[in-house]
Amino acid sequence: MKVLQTPTFSKAVKKLHANQKKDLDAAVRAIIADPDLGEAKVGDLAGVLVQKFKMVKQPMLLAYSFEARVITLTLLALGPHENFYRDLKRL
């Protein structure tokens, strides 16, 4: 499976500490194992799935899209719930 990152996602990852990256890596591995794990969004965010997980005891959201034909997972955004969907719509 090919895993791609958007610039927004990579900027968020650069700001993380090592222990936070371990939790993020575990969440990404779970998504790779089962791409339908996240909640599918509708409306403006159609085609986007969002996975909720804990990063050092703080709830976080990870937005991604999956194309089965090309077998590509694109990591779109990462952040806490506050303003997450508003910022995601701007992508």
Side-chain angles (χ1 to χ4, degrees):
M1 175 181 295
K2 188 174 181 181
V3 179
L4 304 174
Q5 297 180 5
T6 62
T8 304
F9 181 81
S10 23
K11 284 179 187 176
V13 171
K14 285 181 184 178
K15 297 176 184 177
L16 299 178
H17 297 285
N19 58 346
Q20 293 172 317
K21 287 183 181 180
K22 287 180 185 178
D23 292 340
L24 176 61
D25 289 343
V28 172
R29 280 193 217 102
I31 292 170
I32 290 172
D34 182 15
D36 295 326
L37 192 61
E39 180 183 338
K41 297 299 170 184
V42 295
D44 291 343
L45 298 175
V48 174
L49 294 116
V50 175
Q51 174 63 30
K52 296 178 182 180
F53 69 101
K54 296 254 183 188
M55 181 183 291
V56 190
K57 299 182 182 178
Q58 180 182 5
M60 297 292 281
L61 300 174
L62 172 62
Y64 65 96
S65 64
F66 177 73
E67 290 187 44
R69 293 173 286 147
V70 190
I71 308 175
T72 303
L73 176 69
T74 305
L75 303 172
L76 301 173
L78 171 72
H81 192 275
E82 181 180 356
N83 300 325
F84 181 79
Y85 293 107
R86 182 199 64 192
D87 296 342
L88 187 58
K89 285 182 185 181
R90 291 181 183 169
L91 293 176

